[in-house]
Amino acid sequence: MAVSFAQIRATFDQVFTENCPTRVVLDHVMSKWGVLVLMALTDGTARWGELRRSVTGISEKMLASTLRTLESDGIVNRTAYPEVPPRVEYSLTERGDELMERMMPLMEWIAAHADEIVDRGE
């Protein structure tokens, strides 16, 4: 069985409390757009347009904001090439790969059960 919340709290004192950095990370990583951008990057390096097409429904402003946040967190790497026109590529960092290795089973579970969960709520 998975580790319990009590076990995590016993290991990391005050984790997930009101002013704990874990809440900031959860907000960045588990936001609707954060999850979808990270999932798109599990397929490998992508350019802006590729991400925009992969994450349907995201505005340019929200994509830029999400990528900037994830880059600042050390989860996404941004590589800009000095070319004309400019070329920018995004990829997961080592930390991002480690995160997604853990998050993809959750995403798989959600995909498998989303329809039945949503149907119950109607």
Side-chain angles (χ1 to χ4, degrees):
M1 179 164 192
V3 175
S4 73
F5 183 53
Q7 290 170 313
I8 292 172
R9 275 220 150 132
T11 305
F12 302 99
D13 187 41
Q14 301 299 311
V15 73
F16 301 112
T17 57
E18 187 173 354
N19 294 315
C20 182
T22 55
R23 290 196 181 189
V24 173
V25 175
L26 279 171
D27 183 46
H28 294 176
V29 171
M30 298 306 289
S31 71
K32 171 182 167 180
W33 300 120
V35 167
L36 294 174
V37 167
L38 290 168
M39 285 180 57
L41 288 172
T42 62
D43 290 334
T45 300
R47 293 178 69 177
W48 173 270
E50 294 168 322
L51 285 172
R52 185 89 157 74
R53 286 186 295 279
S54 293
V55 184
T56 56
I58 193 169
S59 69
E60 288 188 14
K61 181 179 177 181
M62 187 53 67
L63 179 57
S65 174
T66 301
L67 286 167
R68 204 171 17 255
T69 298
L70 295 172
E71 180 186 8
S72 140
D73 290 343
I75 296 170
V76 168
N77 185 46
R78 178 183 186 274
T79 305
Y81 296 92
E83 299 174 352
V84 177
R87 178 170 56 112
V88 178
E89 294 180 340
Y90 298 90
S91 60
L92 294 174
T93 62
E94 189 175 319
R95 178 178 288 152
D97 282 332
E98 184 181 348
L99 169 65
M100 294 313 293
E101 189 177 298
R102 289 162 170 76
M103 197 150 65
M104 288 308 285
L106 172 61
M107 299 300 101
E108 184 177 17
W109 184 91
I110 289 171
H113 298 285
D115 287 339
E116 66 187 64
I117 291 169
V118 170
D119 288 345
R120 286 187 66 126
E122 293 177 355

